[in-house]
Amino acid sequence: LDILKADPLGAKRIDTVKVSDAKAWVVRMKDKGYSFKTVNNYKRSLKAVFYSAIQDDFIRKNPFDFQVADVISDDTTPKQPLTQEQETAMLGFLKEDKVYQKYYDEIVILLGTGLRISEFCGLTEHDINFETRTININHQLLKDSGIGYYIEPPKTDSGNRQLYMNDEVHDALKRVVKNRRKAEPLVVDGYRNF
C-alpha cells in the first residue's frame, strides 16, 4: 500500500484508472528498480482489487487485465542448481572452516532434501521418523518483526509432502536433533520441540 500511495496511480479514483494508467504504472515500477517478478506479483494483487470493483459495479472493465510481459521484458535470471563439484567444494569448505563448520549439518539437510529454510526451521520431533527415514512437511516456521514467530502451511498445496532421508541427511539430522536439545524451549501456535 505504501508503494501504491507513493505512485500517481494511488491518487486516482478507481473508476478513472485506464489500461494506459496501469501499463504506465508497470513501467514506473520497473524504472524504480523493482524486479519483473515483484511487479508481476503487485500487478496480480491490483488486478484482484479491480476485479472486486467490477463485482461491486464500480467499474466495467479491469485495467489490469493484461500480461506484464507485454509491457516490460522478463529479465528474471533462471536459478541454476549447484553442480556436484560445487556442492562437494562447498561442503568441504564448511566442514573445515572454523567459523562456518557449525552450519555443516544444516546445509547437508537443505541440499539433500530441497527444504525451504522456513520448512526446515519448522520441523518438530513429530515430523521426523528416523526408523522409516521420512520427514513430513505440512507447515513452516516464519518470523515477522512485528508479531514474532508464527506457523503457516507450505507455500503451495504440493508443499505438503513426505521426504526420504538418504544416509547423509539421516546422520546430519540426528546430529542436529541431538545438539538442539541445548536450545531454549519454544512453543509457536501449538507447535513445540522444533
PDB file of all heavy atoms in Angstrom, residues 12 17 25 37-38 45 55 57-59 63 70 87 108 111 126-127 131 137-138 144 157 172 178 190:
ATOM      1  N   LYS A  12      -5.438   8.207  -7.889  1.00  0.00           N
ATOM      2  CA  LYS A  12      -6.562   8.223  -8.834  1.00  0.00           C
ATOM      3  C   LYS A  12      -7.783   7.517  -8.248  1.00  0.00           C
ATOM      4  O   LYS A  12      -7.654   6.543  -7.502  1.00  0.00           O
ATOM      5  CB  LYS A  12      -6.168   7.539 -10.147  1.00  0.00           C
ATOM      6  CG  LYS A  12      -5.100   8.290 -10.929  1.00  0.00           C
ATOM      7  CD  LYS A  12      -4.750   7.604 -12.217  1.00  0.00           C
ATOM      8  CE  LYS A  12      -5.736   7.808 -13.311  1.00  0.00           C
ATOM      9  NZ  LYS A  12      -5.798   9.108 -13.924  1.00  0.00           N
ATOM     10  N   VAL A  17      -9.189   4.902 -13.540  1.00  0.00           N
ATOM     11  CA  VAL A  17      -7.967   4.210 -13.953  1.00  0.00           C
ATOM     12  C   VAL A  17      -8.206   3.478 -15.265  1.00  0.00           C
ATOM     13  O   VAL A  17      -9.144   2.688 -15.386  1.00  0.00           O
ATOM     14  CB  VAL A  17      -7.495   3.224 -12.863  1.00  0.00           C
ATOM     15  CG1 VAL A  17      -6.265   2.462 -13.335  1.00  0.00           C
ATOM     16  CG2 VAL A  17      -7.212   3.957 -11.561  1.00  0.00           C
ATOM     17  N   TRP A  25       2.063   2.478 -14.888  1.00  0.00           N
ATOM     18  CA  TRP A  25       2.470   2.097 -13.530  1.00  0.00           C
ATOM     19  C   TRP A  25       3.514   0.973 -13.584  1.00  0.00           C
ATOM     20  O   TRP A  25       4.504   1.009 -12.870  1.00  0.00           O
ATOM     21  CB  TRP A  25       1.247   1.661 -12.723  1.00  0.00           C
ATOM     22  CG  TRP A  25       1.582   1.039 -11.412  1.00  0.00           C
ATOM     23  CD1 TRP A  25       1.869   1.680 -10.243  1.00  0.00           C
ATOM     24  CD2 TRP A  25       1.685  -0.357 -11.133  1.00  0.00           C
ATOM     25  NE1 TRP A  25       2.149   0.771  -9.251  1.00  0.00           N
ATOM     26  CE2 TRP A  25       2.045  -0.486  -9.772  1.00  0.00           C
ATOM     27  CE3 TRP A  25       1.520  -1.513 -11.900  1.00  0.00           C
ATOM     28  CZ2 TRP A  25       2.241  -1.727  -9.171  1.00  0.00           C
ATOM     29  CZ3 TRP A  25       1.699  -2.735 -11.298  1.00  0.00           C
ATOM     30  CH2 TRP A  25       2.064  -2.841  -9.952  1.00  0.00           C
ATOM     31  N   LYS A  37       9.402 -10.072 -11.433  1.00  0.00           N
ATOM     32  CA  LYS A  37       8.524 -10.907 -10.607  1.00  0.00           C
ATOM     33  C   LYS A  37       7.782 -10.084  -9.564  1.00  0.00           C
ATOM     34  O   LYS A  37       6.603 -10.315  -9.297  1.00  0.00           O
ATOM     35  CB  LYS A  37       9.315 -12.030  -9.933  1.00  0.00           C
ATOM     36  CG  LYS A  37       9.687 -13.134 -10.879  1.00  0.00           C
ATOM     37  CD  LYS A  37      10.271 -14.317 -10.150  1.00  0.00           C
ATOM     38  CE  LYS A  37      10.477 -15.433 -11.140  1.00  0.00           C
ATOM     39  NZ  LYS A  37      10.823 -16.685 -10.525  1.00  0.00           N
ATOM     40  N   THR A  38       8.460  -9.112  -8.954  1.00  0.00           N
ATOM     41  CA  THR A  38       7.804  -8.261  -7.959  1.00  0.00           C
ATOM     42  C   THR A  38       6.703  -7.436  -8.612  1.00  0.00           C
ATOM     43  O   THR A  38       5.589  -7.356  -8.087  1.00  0.00           O
ATOM     44  CB  THR A  38       8.837  -7.344  -7.273  1.00  0.00           C
ATOM     45  OG1 THR A  38       9.801  -8.160  -6.615  1.00  0.00           O
ATOM     46  CG2 THR A  38       8.174  -6.415  -6.270  1.00  0.00           C
ATOM     47  N   SER A  45      -2.110  -8.508  -7.555  1.00  0.00           N
ATOM     48  CA  SER A  45      -2.931  -8.030  -6.434  1.00  0.00           C
ATOM     49  C   SER A  45      -3.867  -6.913  -6.890  1.00  0.00           C
ATOM     50  O   SER A  45      -5.042  -6.881  -6.518  1.00  0.00           O
ATOM     51  CB  SER A  45      -2.046  -7.533  -5.292  1.00  0.00           C
ATOM     52  OG  SER A  45      -1.287  -8.593  -4.774  1.00  0.00           O
ATOM     53  N   GLN A  55     -17.196  -6.478  -9.633  1.00  0.00           N
ATOM     54  CA  GLN A  55     -18.298  -7.200  -8.988  1.00  0.00           C
ATOM     55  C   GLN A  55     -19.215  -6.261  -8.210  1.00  0.00           C
ATOM     56  O   GLN A  55     -20.414  -6.509  -8.098  1.00  0.00           O
ATOM     57  CB  GLN A  55     -17.755  -8.284  -8.060  1.00  0.00           C
ATOM     58  CG  GLN A  55     -17.117  -9.437  -8.807  1.00  0.00           C
ATOM     59  CD  GLN A  55     -16.606 -10.515  -7.869  1.00  0.00           C
ATOM     60  OE1 GLN A  55     -15.996 -10.211  -6.846  1.00  0.00           O
ATOM     61  NE2 GLN A  55     -16.868 -11.755  -8.224  1.00  0.00           N
ATOM     62  N   ASP A  57     -19.873  -3.253  -9.096  1.00  0.00           N
ATOM     63  CA  ASP A  57     -20.410  -2.301 -10.073  1.00  0.00           C
ATOM     64  C   ASP A  57     -19.813  -0.902  -9.986  1.00  0.00           C
ATOM     65  O   ASP A  57     -20.464   0.089 -10.315  1.00  0.00           O
ATOM     66  CB  ASP A  57     -21.947  -2.215  -9.967  1.00  0.00           C
ATOM     67  CG  ASP A  57     -22.627  -3.510 -10.383  1.00  0.00           C
ATOM     68  OD1 ASP A  57     -22.111  -4.170 -11.307  1.00  0.00           O
ATOM     69  OD2 ASP A  57     -23.655  -3.867  -9.783  1.00  0.00           O
ATOM     70  N   PHE A  58     -18.534  -0.800  -9.536  1.00  0.00           N
ATOM     71  CA  PHE A  58     -17.857   0.492  -9.563  1.00  0.00           C
ATOM     72  C   PHE A  58     -17.251   0.762 -10.933  1.00  0.00           C
ATOM     73  O   PHE A  58     -17.142   1.915 -11.353  1.00  0.00           O
ATOM     74  CB  PHE A  58     -16.760   0.552  -8.496  1.00  0.00           C
ATOM     75  CG  PHE A  58     -17.278   0.673  -7.097  1.00  0.00           C
ATOM     76  CD1 PHE A  58     -17.116  -0.365  -6.205  1.00  0.00           C
ATOM     77  CD2 PHE A  58     -17.933   1.825  -6.667  1.00  0.00           C
ATOM     78  CE1 PHE A  58     -17.596  -0.266  -4.915  1.00  0.00           C
ATOM     79  CE2 PHE A  58     -18.414   1.935  -5.382  1.00  0.00           C
ATOM     80  CZ  PHE A  58     -18.249   0.887  -4.498  1.00  0.00           C
ATOM     81  N   ILE A  59     -16.814  -0.311 -11.615  1.00  0.00           N
ATOM     82  CA  ILE A  59     -16.209  -0.187 -12.933  1.00  0.00           C
ATOM     83  C   ILE A  59     -16.719  -1.320 -13.813  1.00  0.00           C
ATOM     84  O   ILE A  59     -17.290  -2.299 -13.315  1.00  0.00           O
ATOM     85  CB  ILE A  59     -14.660  -0.230 -12.865  1.00  0.00           C
ATOM     86  CG1 ILE A  59     -14.169  -1.522 -12.196  1.00  0.00           C
ATOM     87  CG2 ILE A  59     -14.122   0.995 -12.144  1.00  0.00           C
ATOM     88  CD1 ILE A  59     -12.649  -1.702 -12.194  1.00  0.00           C
ATOM     89  N   PRO A  63      -8.636  -2.639 -15.686  1.00  0.00           N
ATOM     90  CA  PRO A  63      -7.486  -2.074 -16.396  1.00  0.00           C
ATOM     91  C   PRO A  63      -6.194  -2.876 -16.208  1.00  0.00           C
ATOM     92  O   PRO A  63      -5.217  -2.645 -16.918  1.00  0.00           O
ATOM     93  CB  PRO A  63      -7.358  -0.673 -15.779  1.00  0.00           C
ATOM     94  CG  PRO A  63      -7.979  -0.789 -14.436  1.00  0.00           C
ATOM     95  CD  PRO A  63      -9.077  -1.814 -14.570  1.00  0.00           C
ATOM     96  N   ASP A  70       3.937  -8.123 -21.733  1.00  0.00           N
ATOM     97  CA  ASP A  70       3.598  -7.327 -22.909  1.00  0.00           C
ATOM     98  C   ASP A  70       4.049  -5.879 -22.749  1.00  0.00           C
ATOM     99  O   ASP A  70       4.057  -5.120 -23.721  1.00  0.00           O
ATOM    100  CB  ASP A  70       2.083  -7.366 -23.167  1.00  0.00           C
ATOM    101  CG  ASP A  70       1.604  -8.753 -23.564  1.00  0.00           C
ATOM    102  OD1 ASP A  70       2.443  -9.580 -23.999  1.00  0.00           O
ATOM    103  OD2 ASP A  70       0.392  -9.014 -23.431  1.00  0.00           O
ATOM    104  N   GLU A  87      28.911 -28.441  -5.048  1.00  0.00           N
ATOM    105  CA  GLU A  87      28.364 -28.903  -3.777  1.00  0.00           C
ATOM    106  C   GLU A  87      29.461 -29.545  -2.924  1.00  0.00           C
ATOM    107  O   GLU A  87      29.581 -29.255  -1.730  1.00  0.00           O
ATOM    108  CB  GLU A  87      27.228 -29.898  -4.014  1.00  0.00           C
ATOM    109  CG  GLU A  87      26.559 -30.356  -2.748  1.00  0.00           C
ATOM    110  CD  GLU A  87      25.373 -31.290  -3.013  1.00  0.00           C
ATOM    111  OE1 GLU A  87      24.618 -31.058  -3.972  1.00  0.00           O
ATOM    112  OE2 GLU A  87      25.224 -32.258  -2.239  1.00  0.00           O
ATOM    113  N   VAL A 108      23.839 -29.699   4.763  1.00  0.00           N
ATOM    114  CA  VAL A 108      23.670 -31.061   4.225  1.00  0.00           C
ATOM    115  C   VAL A 108      22.190 -31.402   4.123  1.00  0.00           C
ATOM    116  O   VAL A 108      21.725 -31.944   3.117  1.00  0.00           O
ATOM    117  CB  VAL A 108      24.412 -32.097   5.106  1.00  0.00           C
ATOM    118  CG1 VAL A 108      23.992 -33.521   4.769  1.00  0.00           C
ATOM    119  CG2 VAL A 108      25.920 -31.936   4.953  1.00  0.00           C
ATOM    120  N   LEU A 111      20.478 -29.204   1.309  1.00  0.00           N
ATOM    121  CA  LEU A 111      20.864 -29.678  -0.023  1.00  0.00           C
ATOM    122  C   LEU A 111      20.278 -31.050  -0.334  1.00  0.00           C
ATOM    123  O   LEU A 111      19.860 -31.318  -1.459  1.00  0.00           O
ATOM    124  CB  LEU A 111      22.388 -29.737  -0.145  1.00  0.00           C
ATOM    125  CG  LEU A 111      23.120 -28.408  -0.252  1.00  0.00           C
ATOM    126  CD1 LEU A 111      24.627 -28.626  -0.174  1.00  0.00           C
ATOM    127  CD2 LEU A 111      22.752 -27.685  -1.541  1.00  0.00           C
ATOM    128  N   HIS A 126       7.934 -34.592  15.879  1.00  0.00           N
ATOM    129  CA  HIS A 126       6.846 -35.412  15.323  1.00  0.00           C
ATOM    130  C   HIS A 126       6.881 -35.498  13.798  1.00  0.00           C
ATOM    131  O   HIS A 126       6.247 -36.366  13.215  1.00  0.00           O
ATOM    132  CB  HIS A 126       5.494 -34.869  15.775  1.00  0.00           C
ATOM    133  CG  HIS A 126       5.321 -34.884  17.262  1.00  0.00           C
ATOM    134  ND1 HIS A 126       5.373 -36.031  18.013  1.00  0.00           N
ATOM    135  CD2 HIS A 126       5.117 -33.886  18.145  1.00  0.00           C
ATOM    136  CE1 HIS A 126       5.208 -35.749  19.283  1.00  0.00           C
ATOM    137  NE2 HIS A 126       5.057 -34.444  19.403  1.00  0.00           N
ATOM    138  N   ASP A 127       7.616 -34.585  13.169  1.00  0.00           N
ATOM    139  CA  ASP A 127       7.702 -34.577  11.703  1.00  0.00           C
ATOM    140  C   ASP A 127       8.787 -35.512  11.178  1.00  0.00           C
ATOM    141  O   ASP A 127       8.847 -35.762   9.985  1.00  0.00           O
ATOM    142  CB  ASP A 127       8.002 -33.157  11.199  1.00  0.00           C
ATOM    143  CG  ASP A 127       6.937 -32.166  11.601  1.00  0.00           C
ATOM    144  OD1 ASP A 127       5.750 -32.514  11.524  1.00  0.00           O
ATOM    145  OD2 ASP A 127       7.297 -31.036  11.995  1.00  0.00           O
ATOM    146  N   GLU A 131      13.212 -44.159  11.882  1.00  0.00           N
ATOM    147  CA  GLU A 131      13.092 -45.583  11.525  1.00  0.00           C
ATOM    148  C   GLU A 131      12.712 -45.757  10.064  1.00  0.00           C
ATOM    149  O   GLU A 131      13.303 -46.581   9.360  1.00  0.00           O
ATOM    150  CB  GLU A 131      12.083 -46.267  12.432  1.00  0.00           C
ATOM    151  CG  GLU A 131      12.562 -46.430  13.867  1.00  0.00           C
ATOM    152  CD  GLU A 131      11.542 -47.128  14.745  1.00  0.00           C
ATOM    153  OE1 GLU A 131      10.685 -47.870  14.210  1.00  0.00           O
ATOM    154  OE2 GLU A 131      11.600 -46.927  15.964  1.00  0.00           O
ATOM    155  N   ILE A 137       6.359 -32.850   5.791  1.00  0.00           N
ATOM    156  CA  ILE A 137       6.323 -31.394   5.677  1.00  0.00           C
ATOM    157  C   ILE A 137       4.860 -30.978   5.523  1.00  0.00           C
ATOM    158  O   ILE A 137       4.212 -31.342   4.545  1.00  0.00           O
ATOM    159  CB  ILE A 137       7.118 -30.896   4.443  1.00  0.00           C
ATOM    160  CG1 ILE A 137       8.516 -31.491   4.406  1.00  0.00           C
ATOM    161  CG2 ILE A 137       7.140 -29.374   4.400  1.00  0.00           C
ATOM    162  CD1 ILE A 137       9.370 -31.179   5.591  1.00  0.00           C
ATOM    163  N   ASN A 138       4.345 -30.237   6.508  1.00  0.00           N
ATOM    164  CA  ASN A 138       2.979 -29.724   6.402  1.00  0.00           C
ATOM    165  C   ASN A 138       2.839 -28.325   7.010  1.00  0.00           C
ATOM    166  O   ASN A 138       1.736 -27.829   7.177  1.00  0.00           O
ATOM    167  CB  ASN A 138       1.973 -30.690   7.035  1.00  0.00           C
ATOM    168  CG  ASN A 138       2.257 -30.947   8.496  1.00  0.00           C
ATOM    169  OD1 ASN A 138       2.971 -30.201   9.145  1.00  0.00           O
ATOM    170  ND2 ASN A 138       1.699 -32.016   9.012  1.00  0.00           N
ATOM    171  N   ASP A 144       8.050 -12.549  11.883  1.00  0.00           N
ATOM    172  CA  ASP A 144       7.742 -11.190  11.487  1.00  0.00           C
ATOM    173  C   ASP A 144       8.225 -10.269  12.591  1.00  0.00           C
ATOM    174  O   ASP A 144       8.009 -10.558  13.768  1.00  0.00           O
ATOM    175  CB  ASP A 144       6.223 -11.040  11.283  1.00  0.00           C
ATOM    176  CG  ASP A 144       5.833  -9.658  10.849  1.00  0.00           C
ATOM    177  OD1 ASP A 144       5.685  -8.780  11.728  1.00  0.00           O
ATOM    178  OD2 ASP A 144       5.674  -9.437   9.640  1.00  0.00           O
ATOM    179  N   ASP A 157       0.073 -26.140  -2.375  1.00  0.00           N
ATOM    180  CA  ASP A 157      -0.511 -27.427  -1.979  1.00  0.00           C
ATOM    181  C   ASP A 157       0.496 -28.558  -2.137  1.00  0.00           C
ATOM    182  O   ASP A 157       0.531 -29.482  -1.325  1.00  0.00           O
ATOM    183  CB  ASP A 157      -1.761 -27.730  -2.818  1.00  0.00           C
ATOM    184  CG  ASP A 157      -2.922 -26.821  -2.452  1.00  0.00           C
ATOM    185  OD1 ASP A 157      -2.924 -26.281  -1.321  1.00  0.00           O
ATOM    186  OD2 ASP A 157      -3.824 -26.641  -3.295  1.00  0.00           O
ATOM    187  N   ALA A 172      23.055 -36.319   9.508  1.00  0.00           N
ATOM    188  CA  ALA A 172      23.114 -34.891   9.836  1.00  0.00           C
ATOM    189  C   ALA A 172      21.918 -34.487  10.693  1.00  0.00           C
ATOM    190  O   ALA A 172      22.062 -33.741  11.669  1.00  0.00           O
ATOM    191  CB  ALA A 172      23.163 -34.060   8.556  1.00  0.00           C
ATOM    192  N   LYS A 178      20.171 -33.955  18.221  1.00  0.00           N
ATOM    193  CA  LYS A 178      20.941 -34.126  19.461  1.00  0.00           C
ATOM    194  C   LYS A 178      21.432 -32.769  19.982  1.00  0.00           C
ATOM    195  O   LYS A 178      21.314 -32.471  21.173  1.00  0.00           O
ATOM    196  CB  LYS A 178      22.126 -35.055  19.210  1.00  0.00           C
ATOM    197  CG  LYS A 178      22.987 -35.297  20.425  1.00  0.00           C
ATOM    198  CD  LYS A 178      24.166 -36.197  20.092  1.00  0.00           C
ATOM    199  CE  LYS A 178      25.094 -36.341  21.283  1.00  0.00           C
ATOM    200  NZ  LYS A 178      26.311 -37.040  20.934  1.00  0.00           N
ATOM    201  N   GLY A 190       0.974 -23.744  19.052  1.00  0.00           N
ATOM    202  CA  GLY A 190       0.753 -25.131  19.453  1.00  0.00           C
ATOM    203  C   GLY A 190       1.860 -26.098  19.038  1.00  0.00           C
ATOM    204  O   GLY A 190       1.847 -27.246  19.444  1.00  0.00           O
TER     205      GLY A 190
END
